Amino acid sequence: MAEVLEKLTLLLGPFAPYLTQEIWEELGHAGPVFRETWPAYDAELAKEELADIVVQVNGKLRSHIQAPFGTAEEVLKARALEDTKVRPYVEGKRIVKVVVVADRLVNIVVGG
């Protein structure tokens, strides 16, 4: 818990310098808090595993699906067409085109 409080104090330093200096001293550290280095950033911890993909029918939002980043277009098309929220909008209609933007969007264009 002490490590979390130290990192939080360092991050709050620029926004509330006097308060964080008091907290820094209460945590047992000497010297000004603004002279300390910020905590290191780890990109692996912030990386998301699944992409939230928007599914549209004729340009209107109908559903969201989640898939791992880099999923093939054919798999995304199939999952979008199988979605229970999308099915009523495409059943009995001719699919003109399916536009896939990798890791972001599947747009199904239907006609008559």
Side-chain angles (χ1 to χ4, degrees), residues 54 56 73 77 97-102 105-109:
V54 174
Q56 297 178 337
E73 285 187 20
K77 285 180 192 178
K97 187 176 185 180
V98 179
V99 179
V100 178
V101 178
L105 169 81
V106 176
N107 188 14
I108 304 165
V109 182

Side-chain angles (χ1 to χ4, degrees), residues 4-54:
V4 171
L5 288 174
E6 287 176 2
K7 289 183 180 187
L8 182 62
T9 303
L10 290 171
L11 293 173
L12 286 175
F15 304 104
Y18 296 109
L19 176 63
T20 53
Q21 183 61 41
E22 292 293 324
I23 295 171
W24 191 247
E25 291 172 4
E26 285 293 322
L27 290 172
H29 298 285
V33 69
F34 67 87
R35 298 244 185 219
E36 298 295 323
T37 59
W38 272 35
Y41 171 73
D42 188 1
E44 284 298 315
L45 292 176
K47 185 176 174 183
E48 291 191 31
E49 295 176 8
L50 296 176
D52 188 33
I53 300 166
V54 174

Side-chain angles (χ1 to χ4, degrees), residues 76-94:
L76 292 176
K77 285 180 192 178
R79 288 198 48 204
L81 290 170
E82 292 170 359
D83 192 285
T84 57
K85 294 178 183 175
V86 174
R87 221 179 281 151
Y89 299 102
V90 297
E91 281 183 347
K93 297 182 182 169
R94 182 176 53 94

